Amino acid sequence: MASSHSSSPVPQSNSSDAFFKKEMDATKRFRPVQSLPDVCPKEPTGDPNNLCDSPSLVVDQHRWTIYHSKVNLPAALNDPRSPRNILHYTNRKSLRERRFMKDARIFVLLKIPSTGHYYTLTIFMKPDFALEDSLTFNAVLPWSHFSTAGGKGNRDAASSKLLQEKLSHYLDIVEVNIAHQISLRSEAFFHAMTSQHELQDYLRKTSQAVKLLREKISKIDKVMCEGSLRVLRLSLTRNNCIKAYNKLKLMATVHQTQPTVQLLLSTSEFVGALDLIATTQEVLQQELQGIHSFRHLGSQLCELEKLIDKMMIAEFSTYARNDLNRPLEDDCQILEEERLVSLVFGLLKQRKLNFYEIYGDEMIITAKNIIKQCVVNTVSQIEEIDTEVVVKLADQMRMMNFPQWFDLLKNIFSKFTIFLKRIKATLNTIRSVVFLVLDKNQKNRDLEDTLQKNSAKDSTVDTEVAYLTHEGMFISDAFSEGDLPPVAADTTSQRNTSPNSEPCSSDSVSEPECTTDSSSSKEQTSSSVTPGGVEMMIGDDMKLTDLELVRLANNIQELLYNASDICHDRSVKFLMARAKDGFLEKLNSNEFVALSRLMEGFILDTEQICGRKSMSLRGALQSQANRFVNRFHEERKTKLSLLLDNERWKQAEVPAEFQDLVDSVSDGRISLPEKKPAATEERKPTEFLIVEGQKYATVGTVLLLIRIILEYCQCVDNIPSITTDMLTRLSDLLKYFNSRSCQLVLGAGALQVVGLKTITTKNLALSSRCLQLIVHYIPIIRAHFEARLQPKQFSMLRHFDHITKDYHDHIAEISAKLVAIMDSLFDKLLSKYEVKAPVPSACFRNICKQMAKMHEAIYDLLPEEQTQMLFLRINASYKLHLKRQLAHLNVVNDGGPLNGLVTSDVAFYTGNLQALKGLNNLDLNMAEIWEQKR
């Protein structure tokens, strides 16, 4: 067989190879055809087109087709049951091979031109050979050569036979090629067939080894594994039993919830009851969900929670009433602080954030009762008030005199002060609870942020290890679960729970013992202490936002402000009830100052306690102060007017008390001195008032005016709210004194009012000195008011500048009046002056006499400097009139007899004038009486 194949000229012929290559190249000019269909039989899919594409193993299994050459040939060659089939096959195909080689040899030798046979043969060799393609089908089976016409039947039969032989020839060529390829690889093929028996021996030995290994593994499993696995199963069973036991204990505990809540409510433990209800509700939803016996417990607990809400509100109202209505002694301790903290905490837990309004309503009622009770207690101690005749409480109060009413008001203010201190202590405790909850919220957020950061870091490291599992749980967890903390065990159990796990193994917690906390008991709680030292536990179930808590804290602080306003409003009503009959307007300055100080003290105390100003009582005090200022000013202005109308403008003695009054102002502080014992009042009056070393001659009206001015300043100290009004009134008073004294002295009004015969130079000098005394005190008064005014009110101080200017103008007018008196005298006397003997002349004697009287009148009243300045002005007037008269008499400074007489008279005048006390050094400059020569 091998020799025949080796001697076959077809595969070894170069011409044949060239012929095949040429034909294959020629096929490239045609359109590519589709690939051959799959040789494996396809199952029917219901598509008739697909059923026709491929042969069916069921229908065509006994018919030989072209597919058998591809499908059955390998099966036949590899069939181990028929090792000789290959020999039979090769023998059968050798005949066809020889026939093909003969025909091929004929084609090659004769060099028959191509008729399409080789082209057709190359078609069968293409990998994409498919008869479904119409071109391929027509090339293989040229049916166009056949015709059904009756005249050509013999020709068609011959063509059909020729086609059949051609196809048979093609089949032979294919089989020969296959046989040739097999012969080339026959050695490897037979070697594979031979080694198959060895492979079967190896498989048999391997099967025996596997069987032996399985027997050994079975023995090892019985000896080493079954016991351990049984222990694991028993451990898991034990854990499930523990869970079931814990579940039963939990159910027993939940069953006792309602009796326990009732017990807690009997002791006013509202927070504990609410916590227990919340815990039980959470347990019912998470741990005991679906338990039939507890199907109504949730709704019952909700109703019980609503009842607790009402009980807490009623309890807080009772607490507020008891706290505010207890005896107002000097005790600001919080009433039952633990109870208050518990109530507030429970109300916050239930989001009852308007509970502070209950406390506010109780404050209003209590404030009314405080005033009523104080009035009742005071009236009951006054025998003069017959409560059977005077029924109304307000009328009974109006029958009190000022000391009694003042003591009553002082008692009310003291009660209100204690009342506010108690309210502040209580509200501070409530606010501290709110702030503790707020602080707990902040800490929880910080803790959550920290846990999130830590979990993000831990998630980057994956340390998962494969475990053997049993019934949905890790086997290793069966040993370690009991040692894990509750939270860790919960996490592990949840991680290992599978949807197909049994109910007993799906519990979220597996612990040796069960507690009533279950899920909600795992909430983190923190211990906090209120300012009063009460410790409380704050859990994480306070579902209040920071905004709500801050708003609540602000409302509580505002409630303290409202408490201050309530006390002030009730005090104003009490004050107005007493002022209806004009009682307050009739108070003297000491009584009103005492009342003002009392009210100012109460206002300052409430501002210190509550931290905010309340304007109602301050406004009422201001209103009464304005009435008081008007009456105070009118009284003193009327008094000053009466004093001026009766003033005779003579120097008055200065009592010791006025000197003390002036001395008290010498250090810059204006205050009325305290009255000294009677023994000290025996000091004799002095002639002058000593002010900072200067002597002031004054009249009695000015002494009283100084005291009145100091009363104005003292009143400002006692009632700061009337500073601006007092400044205006004092300015008016000083202006009134200046204008009225000017009318009386300079205007000679005292001649008609008092009945003086004339206004003397002494009256004028005394008036000037009195004005100077007032001017001396104006800067001190200005500084006193400036220290008590607001910066925006400093513009009012200009009144003192205007007053000072007016007083200086008045003093200057008095000085001018004194000069004018002497000027008229000089004009009268010197107009009659004649230069003749004797010397000194009568005119100059009379002038010197009048000058001496003038000096005698003013020297003790005015300071020496002012006296000298005044006489210099008088001397200037004298020189003017003398110069005019000498010019009239044509007397010149020529050294003649007339000049000598005038010089003698002037020397007499100069000597007499310089002989007066304090005028010896006065520069008279008498040379000015002579006309200067031009």
Side-chain angles (χ1 to χ4, degrees):
M1 186 69 181
S3 62
S4 64
H5 286 294
S6 62
S7 62
S8 178
V10 175
Q12 296 176 358
S13 174
N14 295 331
S15 60
S16 178
D17 292 339
F19 179 78
F20 281 115
K21 182 177 181 182
K22 181 178 180 181
E23 291 298 323
M24 291 178 66
D25 293 337
T27 59
K28 294 181 180 180
R29 293 193 300 269
F30 294 93
R31 184 174 59 87
V33 295
Q34 297 181 359
S35 61
L36 292 173
D38 192 358
V39 296
C40 298
K42 295 182 179 179
E43 294 294 332
T45 58
D47 189 357
N49 297 326
N50 294 336
L51 291 175
C52 298
D53 292 341
S54 303
S56 175
L57 294 177
V58 178
V59 179
D60 300 331
Q61 59 181 337
H62 302 295
R63 293 167 49 192
W64 188 93
T65 64
I66 60 174
Y67 297 101
H68 286 77
S69 62
K70 296 177 64 177
V71 176
N72 292 335
L73 178 60
L77 297 177
N78 292 321
D79 187 2
R81 296 173 296 177
S82 302
R84 296 185 179 274
N85 284 346
I86 186 59
L87 299 177
H88 174 73
Y89 177 77
T90 55
N91 292 331
R92 186 169 58 87
K93 297 299 180 180
S94 61
L95 179 61
R96 293 182 180 180
E97 182 181 2
R98 286 193 296 271
R99 187 187 306 166
F100 169 76
M101 294 304 296
K102 180 180 178 182
D103 294 336
R105 193 177 296 114
I106 293 173
F107 278 109
V108 173
L109 293 176
L110 295 179
K111 297 182 180 180
I112 300 175
S114 176
T115 59
H117 295 167
Y118 289 97
Y119 165 70
T120 305
L121 185 60
T122 58
I123 290 178
F124 290 105
M125 299 300 178
K126 289 184 178 180
D128 55 351
F129 175 78
L131 291 175
E132 290 87 347
D133 185 56
S134 58
L135 297 177
T136 304
F137 183 81
N138 291 330
V140 174
L141 299 175
W143 297 106
S144 58
H145 297 288
F146 303 100
S147 174
T148 56
K152 298 181 180 181
N154 296 330
R155 183 179 177 182
D156 291 341
S159 299
S160 176
K161 185 176 180 181
L162 179 61
L163 177 62
Q164 184 175 2
E165 291 178 357
K166 186 186 294 186
L167 293 178
S168 298
H169 178 65
Y170 292 161
L171 178 61
D172 293 339
I173 293 173
V174 172
E175 289 178 352
V176 169
N177 287 334
I178 292 174
H180 176 67
Q181 293 296 328
I182 292 175
S183 65
L184 295 178
R185 296 171 179 80
S186 59
E187 185 178 356
F189 175 76
F190 289 114
H191 181 271
M193 294 299 295
T194 306
S195 60
Q196 186 175 6
H197 296 285
E198 297 179 1
L199 182 60
Q200 290 179 355
D201 294 338
Y202 291 152
L203 289 175
R204 182 173 58 257
K205 293 179 181 179
T206 302
S207 176
Q208 294 176 355
V210 169
K211 181 178 180 181
L212 180 61
L213 180 59
R214 286 181 175 178
E215 292 177 355
K216 292 182 179 180
I217 290 175
S218 177
K219 294 179 181 179
I220 293 173
D221 180 51
K222 291 180 180 179
V223 175
M224 300 183 64
C225 297
E226 284 188 1
S228 299
L229 292 175
R230 184 171 178 274
V231 170
L232 293 178
R233 283 192 292 271
L234 291 176
S235 177
L236 293 175
T237 303
R238 177 181 177 276
N239 289 335
N240 290 334
C241 292
I242 291 175
K243 292 177 183 178
Y245 172 71
N246 291 340
K247 192 74 70 176
L248 292 175
K249 286 182 64 177
L250 184 60
M251 292 176 63
T253 304
V254 170
H255 183 66
Q256 296 297 322
T257 298
Q258 288 179 310
T260 306
V261 169
Q262 296 294 340
L263 180 62
L264 292 173
L265 293 180
S266 64
T267 58
S268 299
E269 291 290 339
F270 299 106
V271 178
L274 290 173
D275 288 339
L276 181 57
I277 290 175
T279 302
T280 305
Q281 290 279 26
E282 191 168 356
V283 169
L284 288 175
Q285 294 176 2
Q286 297 182 3
E287 302 291 338
L288 301 178
Q289 188 175 9
I291 302 299
H292 186 71
S293 59
F294 290 149
R295 63 187 182 279
H296 300 304
L297 182 59
S299 59
Q300 293 172 357
L301 293 178
C302 290
E303 294 297 328
L304 191 59
E305 188 173 1
K306 295 179 181 179
L307 177 62
I308 293 176
D309 291 347
K310 297 178 180 179
M311 292 178 64
M312 283 194 301
I313 294 175
E315 185 73 12
F316 184 78
S317 179
T318 303
Y319 174 86
R321 192 178 304 110
N322 295 337
D323 178 51
L324 297 175
N325 292 317
R326 55 184 168 144
L328 290 171
E329 300 173 354
D330 192 10
D331 180 17
C332 300
Q333 295 294 328
I334 301 175
L335 178 66
E336 300 179 10
E337 184 176 2
E338 294 183 357
R339 177 186 174 194
L340 174 62
V341 171
S342 177
L343 282 172
V344 173
F345 190 68
L347 291 169
L348 292 179
K349 188 180 182 67
Q350 295 302 107
R351 300 181 62 84
K352 303 297 181 181
L353 303 182
N354 59 343
F355 64 90
Y356 63 90
E357 297 177 359
I358 300 174
Y359 200 84
D361 296 337
E362 290 295 333
M363 287 192 311
I364 298 175
I365 299 173
T366 305
K368 294 179 180 179
N369 294 334
I370 288 174
I371 293 181
K372 183 177 181 180
Q373 190 62 38
C374 289
V375 173
V376 171
N377 294 339
T378 304
V379 169
S380 63
Q381 297 174 0
I382 300 175
E383 298 178 355
E384 292 82 2
I385 301 176
D386 189 356
T387 56
E388 296 181 357
V389 177
V390 183
V391 179
K392 291 184 178 180
L393 199 61
D395 296 336
Q396 296 174 0
M397 179 190 64
R398 294 189 185 99
M399 296 180 66
M400 301 179 186
N401 55 30
F402 178 77
Q404 294 171 343
W405 182 82
F406 185 79
D407 292 338
L408 173 59
L409 183 61
K410 186 187 295 183
N411 185 30
I412 291 174
F413 284 165
S414 64
K415 297 294 184 183
F416 274 155
T417 303
I418 299 174
F419 177 67
L420 290 176
K421 288 181 179 179
R422 285 184 177 176
I423 292 175
K424 181 179 181 180
T426 302
L427 294 182
N428 283 344
T429 301
I430 296 175
R431 290 184 78 226
S432 66
V433 175
V434 175
F435 284 132
L436 286 174
V437 175
L438 183 62
D439 183 62
K440 177 62 178 177
N441 288 351
Q442 183 64 37
K443 290 181 179 178
N444 288 342
R445 286 196 300 271
D446 295 341
L447 181 60
E448 289 176 1
D449 294 340
T450 304
L451 291 177
Q452 289 178 358
K453 293 179 181 178
N454 293 337
S455 62
K457 293 180 180 179
D458 294 341
S459 62
T460 59
V461 181
D462 188 4
T463 58
E464 292 294 333
V465 180
Y467 292 90
L468 295 175
T469 58
H470 177 73
E471 294 185 358
M473 296 186 67
F474 289 106
I475 295 177
S476 59
D477 292 340
F479 298 103
S480 60
E481 190 177 34
D483 299 332
L484 290 174
V487 178
D490 183 29
T491 304
T492 304
S493 179
Q494 291 179 358
R495 181 188 63 183
N496 296 330
T497 301
S498 61
N500 299 325
S501 301
E502 296 179 4
C504 63
S505 62
S506 62
D507 295 336
S508 60
V509 179
S510 177
E511 299 177 352
E513 295 182 359
C514 178
T515 61
T516 58
D517 293 353
S518 185
S519 299
S520 63
S521 65
K522 296 182 180 68
E523 298 170 349
Q524 295 181 357
T525 60
S526 62
S527 176
S528 301
V529 181
T530 63
V534 178
E535 184 176 358
M536 62 180 180
M537 302 299 293
I538 302 178
D540 292 339
D541 56 345
M542 301 294 286
K543 306 302 182 183
L544 293 173
T545 63
D546 291 352
L547 181 61
E548 291 175 332
L549 292 172
V550 171
R551 185 184 295 116
L552 178 59
N554 293 336
N555 291 336
I556 294 172
Q557 183 63 35
E558 190 67 27
L559 187 62
L560 180 60
Y561 301 152
N562 294 339
S564 176
D565 294 339
I566 290 170
C567 294
H568 282 232
D569 293 341
R570 302 311 305 179
S571 300
V572 169
K573 290 184 179 180
F574 176 79
L575 195 67
M576 294 297 102
R578 189 66 183 91
K580 282 186 177 180
D581 54 356
F583 172 76
L584 298 179
E585 297 178 4
K586 299 176 183 178
L587 299 178
N588 58 40
S589 59
N590 292 331
E591 291 174 343
F592 188 83
V593 167
L595 175 62
S596 176
R597 286 181 175 177
L598 178 63
M599 295 175 67
E600 285 286 352
F602 176 69
I603 292 172
L604 293 177
D605 290 341
T606 55
E607 289 178 0
Q608 184 178 5
I609 293 172
C610 301
R612 191 178 72 172
K613 293 182 179 180
S614 296
M615 304 307 298
S616 57
L617 185 58
R618 192 182 296 275
L621 176 60
Q622 184 65 40
S623 176
Q624 293 299 324
N626 293 335
R627 296 189 181 96
F628 168 76
V629 168
N630 291 332
R631 183 179 58 81
F632 180 88
H633 178 65
E634 292 300 329
E635 288 179 355
R636 279 149 184 77
K637 188 175 182 179
T638 302
K639 182 179 180 179
L640 178 61
S641 178
L642 293 174
L643 290 173
L644 288 173
D645 290 344
N646 292 280
E647 181 59 57
R648 301 188 67 84
W649 297 101
K650 291 183 179 180
Q651 183 177 359
E653 293 182 341
V654 179
E657 60 175 326
F658 284 95
Q659 184 62 54
D660 294 339
L661 183 65
V662 171
D663 293 340
S664 65
V665 188
S666 61
D667 57 354
R669 292 185 303 104
I670 297 179
S671 61
L672 295 175
E674 298 179 358
K675 291 185 178 181
K676 297 182 179 180
T680 61
E681 295 181 356
E682 295 179 357
R683 294 180 299 170
K684 294 181 179 181
T686 59
E687 188 177 0
F688 296 96
L689 184 67
I690 308 300
V691 180
E692 295 182 0
Q694 293 188 15
K695 294 190 300 183
Y696 284 88
T698 181
V699 296
T701 300
V702 174
L703 292 176
L704 293 175
L705 177 60
I706 291 175
R707 183 176 184 87
I708 291 172
I709 292 173
L710 297 183
E711 287 178 353
Y712 274 80
C713 296
Q714 185 67 35
C715 194
V716 168
D717 288 338
N718 296 331
I719 313 175
S721 60
I722 62 175
T723 301
T724 55
D725 290 337
M726 277 297 183
L727 188 150
T728 305
R729 302 301 195 281
L730 181 58
S731 301
D732 179 68
L733 186 71
L734 293 175
K735 290 178 181 179
Y736 176 77
F737 173 76
N738 184 44
S739 61
R740 186 60 177 161
S741 62
C742 182
Q743 294 173 2
L744 292 173
V745 179
L746 282 178
L751 298 179
Q752 292 81 19
V753 176
V754 185
L756 295 179
K757 294 181 180 180
T758 182
I759 302 297
T760 64
T761 55
K762 191 168 187 177
N763 297 139
L764 292 172
L766 186 60
S767 175
S768 176
R769 194 58 174 162
C770 290
L771 292 173
Q772 293 174 23
L773 178 61
I774 301 301
V775 169
H776 172 79
Y777 280 107
I778 288 178
I780 300 176
I781 298 170
R782 176 194 173 101
H784 181 82
F785 277 90
E786 183 177 4
R788 287 151 183 81
L789 288 175
Q790 299 294 331
K792 61 182 179 180
Q793 299 171 336
F794 285 168
S795 59
M796 300 184 66
L797 297 175
R798 69 180 183 276
H799 294 296
F800 293 110
D801 299 333
H802 297 161
I803 293 171
T804 303
K805 182 179 181 302
D806 294 341
Y807 271 69
H808 282 301
D809 293 343
H810 190 183
I811 294 170
E813 290 177 3
I814 292 175
S815 299
K817 183 66 175 178
L818 291 174
V819 174
I821 292 173
M822 295 304 296
D823 184 78
S824 62
L825 179 65
F826 293 149
D827 182 56
K828 180 181 179 181
L829 293 177
L830 290 175
S831 63
K832 300 177 179 180
Y833 173 63
E834 296 179 356
V835 183
K836 62 181 180 178
V839 176
S841 64
C843 178
F844 272 77
R845 286 193 183 99
N846 196 5
I847 289 175
C848 289
K849 182 180 178 180
Q850 295 299 326
M851 294 284 280
K853 287 183 179 180
M854 170 67 76
H855 181 271
E856 182 182 1
I858 67 173
Y859 181 78
D860 292 334
L861 300 179
L862 298 177
E864 185 175 342
E865 297 80 5
Q866 294 184 20
T867 303
Q868 292 176 357
M869 292 299 299
L870 181 62
F871 273 90
L872 282 176
R873 293 177 63 187
I874 292 173
N875 181 61
S877 177
Y878 162 75
K879 290 188 292 182
L880 180 63
H881 285 283
L882 180 59
K883 182 178 181 180
R884 186 182 303 150
Q885 185 64 22
L886 291 176
H888 177 70
L889 296 175
N890 294 322
V891 178
V892 296
N893 188 16
D894 56 357
L898 294 179
N899 179 262
L901 292 175
V902 172
T903 302
S904 299
D905 286 338
V906 171
F908 174 77
Y909 166 80
T910 304
N912 277 277
L913 187 58
Q914 290 182 344
L916 297 177
K917 189 176 180 179
L919 302 179
N920 52 346
N921 296 325
L922 199 64
D923 184 12
L924 300 179
N925 193 14
M926 298 305 295
E928 295 180 354
I929 64 176
W930 305 107
E931 287 285 347
Q932 300 293 331
K933 293 182 179 181
R934 297 180 180 178

